[in-house]
């Protein structure tokens, strides 16, 4: 069956206009099952990423009518790229000719095979003005099958986001970054949401079931001059976890940062009276399984898109041990999260930075009501002689996500006043 596919063309070496024109002729001649039906004007653009000093690009978009399947079309495009002398060397480096499939009807393709990977819609389409501007000339009303938004809308959104990013400056360094923070209706999660909003990030607040509390934090974020949306999902349910990842990705056509903060409360909530086995089960489902599922899902999306940052929540004493049932429970849950984080960092490099924060004695709901014995212990164990606050964690999260931590990945960063050292 014939479909309309949209292609991107780019060149920044040699006679670029001649190359684009010749590439279009080559496309029409390559296979009788490809017909070029519409072509945009040529757009001169600055290179994005890649080595410094490469020349400006000439970009265009084309609509083709084809009966080929997506992989066969990719193969034709690669043959043409090759014929024009393109050699793949450095990522985002100079090229005589780049031909990408942007859209293939309303199909979603995720074919991963070394040298023959094909992701359609193109995973960076919604981020790149040099793709969206020519594409909008010939396909303004075409609907992106993942984001369910038209190309004209994606272009307007991308322009707005990139303008916000250009405003990023010290004190507002996360302007235009899109962030999901799970478990952000209270405690450390809420503090992180507010801190990142204060830094200019658009924030998706997530809560388990209280729409009212999620809405309250959403409003607090919005009051800091950013966009904010609240989503509810009970992460004990695997399907809800996948749905949250999907929904969060849809809100602003992708995310830049995910803080997987949600953890079960086995100390003060309804689970406080549960048996050890029941608490262990709850921690397995929420702290471990949901964190792993969410980070793998969104981590893959960030990786495909080409950049991003993931943060998980560990615990400083998982490495050294703490007496009692809670010590055993958190050692399992948070030890697993920290170990997972390091493997994920290795998996998603070099595109996505992945780190864990490991808070120590932080005064959240439990700390507020803990007995005098615990109050004394928390202050005695910390070299700094006090409880940590949620904001102590949030400010480190802000640094870790921001531009000043660009070379930090695969780390567990303790925030504990020196209680556990080394
Ligand atoms: P880019 O076009 O993003 O600058 P390259 O052209 O250097 O990157 O990379 C091309 C690689 O991307 C090829 O290995 C190809 O298999 C893969 N790829 C994945 N999705 C697409 C797509 N939609 N169109 C073209 N190439 C794609
Ligand atoms: Mg390409």
């Amino acid at each position: 069956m014939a479909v309309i596919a949209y292609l991107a063309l780019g060149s920044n070496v040699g006679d670029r206009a001649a190359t684009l024109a010749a590439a279009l002729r080559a496309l029409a001649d390559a296979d009788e099952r490809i017909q070029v039906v519409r072509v945009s004007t040529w757009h001169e653009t600055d290179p994005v990423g890649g080595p410094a000093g490469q020349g400006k690009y000439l970009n265009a978009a084309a609509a083709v009518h084809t009966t080929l399947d997506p992989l066969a079309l990719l193969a034709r495009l690669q043959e043409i790229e090759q014929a024009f002398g393109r050699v793949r060397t450095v990522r985002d480096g100079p090229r005589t000719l780049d031909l990408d499939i942007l859209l293939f009807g309303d199909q979603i393709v995720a074919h991963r095979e070394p040298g023959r990977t094909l992701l359609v819609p193109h995973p960076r389409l919604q981020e790149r003005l040099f793709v969206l501007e020519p594409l909008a000339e010939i396909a303004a009303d075409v609907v992106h099958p993942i984001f369910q938004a038209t190309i004209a809308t994606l272009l307007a959104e991308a322009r707005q986001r990139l303008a916000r990013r250009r405003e990023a400056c010290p004190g507002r360094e996360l302007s235009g970054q899109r962030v999901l923070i799970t478990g952000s209706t209270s405690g450390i999660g809420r503090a992180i949401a507010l801190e990142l909003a204060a830094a200019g990030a658009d924030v998706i607040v997530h809560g388990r079931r209280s729409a009212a509390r999620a809405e309250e934090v959403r409003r607090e974020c919005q009051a800091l001059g950013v966009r904010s949306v609240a989503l509810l999902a009970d992460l004990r349910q695997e399907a809800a976890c996948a749905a949250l990842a999907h929904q969060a990705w849809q809100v602003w056509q992708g995310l830049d940062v995910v803080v997987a903060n949600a953890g079960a409360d086995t100390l003060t909530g309804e689970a406080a009276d549960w048996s050890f086995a029941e608490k262990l089960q709850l921690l397995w489902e929420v702290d471990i399984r949901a964190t792993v599922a969410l980070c793998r899902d969104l981590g893959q999306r960030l990786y495909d898109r080409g950049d991003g940052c993931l943060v998980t929540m560990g615990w400083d004493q998982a490495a050294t041990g703490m007496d009692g049932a809670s010590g055993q429970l958190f050692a399992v849950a948070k030890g697993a999260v920290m170990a997972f984080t390091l493997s994920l960092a290795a998996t998603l490099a070099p595109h996505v930075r992945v780190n864990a924060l490991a808070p120590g004695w932080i005064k959240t709901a439990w700390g507020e009501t803990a007995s005098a014995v615990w109050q004394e212990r928390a202050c005695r164990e910390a070299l700094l002689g006090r409880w940590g606050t949620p904001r102590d964690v949030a400010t480190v999260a802000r640094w870790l996500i921001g531009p000043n931590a660009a070379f930090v990945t695969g780390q567990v960063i303790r925030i504990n006043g020196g209680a556990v050292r080394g």
Side-chain angles (χ1 to χ4, degrees):
M1 209 189 66
V3 299
I4 301 278
Y6 290 92
L7 310 179
L9 298 84
S11 169
N12 79 334
V13 175
D15 185 342
R16 302 164 306 165
T19 300
L20 295 191
L24 287 167
R25 281 196 302 277
L27 204 56
D29 295 344
D31 196 306
E32 65 212 5
R33 290 163 293 179
I34 304 174
Q35 287 168 290
V36 180
V37 291
R38 276 192 89 177
V39 182
S40 73
T41 60
W42 300 163
H43 290 239
E44 183 159 64
T45 64
D46 290 318
V48 175
Q54 56 171 324
K56 287 195 178 217
Y57 274 83
L58 213 53
N59 290 105
V64 300
H65 203 210
T66 186
T67 52
L68 293 175
D69 65 43
L71 280 171
L73 179 61
L74 178 68
R76 292 289 93 78
L77 299 184
Q78 291 182 336
E79 284 160 19
I80 297 169
E81 283 184 343
Q82 232 103 90
F84 280 78
R86 170 162 183 188
V87 187
R88 284 174 208 282
T89 47
V90 282
R91 181 168 176 242
D92 296 332
R95 67 272 314 265
T96 325
L97 178 64
D98 183 36
L99 291 174
D100 289 341
I101 303 176
L102 300 175
L103 299 166
F104 193 92
D106 59 5
Q107 291 186 32
I108 296 172
V109 182
H111 180 90
R112 299 172 199 281
E113 184 189 340
R116 223 165 69 107
T117 289
L118 182 62
L119 301 171
V120 177
H122 195 286
R124 292 175 287 283
L125 156 66
Q126 68 283 358
E127 309 293 336
R128 296 172 155 179
L129 293 183
F130 67 80
V131 172
L132 288 169
E133 280 172 347
L135 184 60
E137 275 180 28
I138 59 169
D141 296 329
V142 171
V143 174
H144 188 290
I146 294 174
F147 298 126
Q148 293 297 321
T150 64
I151 297 304
T153 302
L154 294 187
L155 173 59
E157 289 281 335
R159 280 189 174 137
Q160 195 194 356
R161 195 162 54 243
L162 292 168
R164 295 246 334 265
R165 296 236 174 116
R166 278 195 294 276
E167 287 166 11
C169 59
R172 207 69 179 166
E173 73 278 11
L174 300 180
S175 279
Q177 302 287 318
R178 299 155 291 181
V179 185
L180 165 68
I181 305 151
T182 64
S184 48
T185 54
S186 65
I188 292 174
R190 173 174 168 275
I192 293 175
L194 296 179
E195 189 65 32
L196 301 187
D202 292 335
V203 172
I204 300 178
V205 175
H206 158 259
R208 179 163 59 113
R209 62 176 178 207
S210 169
R213 267 161 65 190
E215 172 58 16
E216 198 178 305
V217 180
R218 189 197 70 74
R219 275 214 215 99
E220 289 178 292
C221 289
Q222 203 174 48
L224 292 163
V226 299
R227 300 202 282 188
S228 186
V229 165
L231 298 177
L232 295 181
D234 183 351
L235 299 180
R236 277 192 93 169
Q237 287 152 20
E238 284 182 278
C241 195
L244 176 66
H246 176 76
Q247 272 180 295
W249 192 257
Q250 301 283 92
V251 173
W252 297 306
Q253 293 94 42
L255 292 166
D256 301 292
V257 179
V258 177
V259 183
N261 164 78
D265 179 4
T266 54
L267 294 173
T268 67
E270 64 205 42
D273 302 328
W274 294 9
S275 69
F276 185 94
E278 287 167 332
K279 287 180 179 173
L280 186 61
Q281 179 65 20
L282 180 63
L283 289 168
W284 151 247
E285 287 170 1
V286 178
D287 292 54
I288 304 175
R289 192 181 65 194
T291 299
V292 169
L294 205 71
C295 290
R296 275 172 50 79
D297 183 325
L298 291 169
Q300 183 69 55
R301 294 174 197 247
L302 294 172
Y303 181 91
D304 289 340
R305 207 266 315 278
D307 57 58
C309 180
L310 276 171
V311 178
T312 62
M313 281 292 160
W315 178 48
D316 70 338
Q317 294 187 77
T320 53
M322 187 183 104
D323 55 293
S326 293
Q328 294 165 30
L329 287 167
F330 293 149
V332 171
K334 296 305 188 183
V337 168
M338 293 190 287
F340 164 73
T341 302
L342 306 187
S343 288
L344 192 67
T347 306
L348 299 181
H351 302 312
V352 184
R353 294 192 298 116
V354 187
N355 294 284
L357 294 177
W361 298 105
I362 306 296
K363 204 158 209 175
T364 52
W366 176 76
E368 295 291 348
T369 57
S371 69
V373 174
W374 289 106
Q375 303 293 346
E376 188 276 326
R377 179 170 170 179
C379 296
R380 174 169 39 83
E381 289 188 0
L383 293 179
L384 299 181
R386 65 167 176 88
W387 284 87
T389 65
R391 189 158 184 278
D392 284 325
V393 181
T395 52
V396 176
R398 175 178 178 169
W399 162 79
L400 184 58
I401 289 161
N404 292 329
F407 200 51
V408 179
T409 195
Q411 304 302 309
V412 175
I413 296 167
R414 292 180 184 145
I415 308 152
N416 63 4
V420 170
R421 300 176 288 279

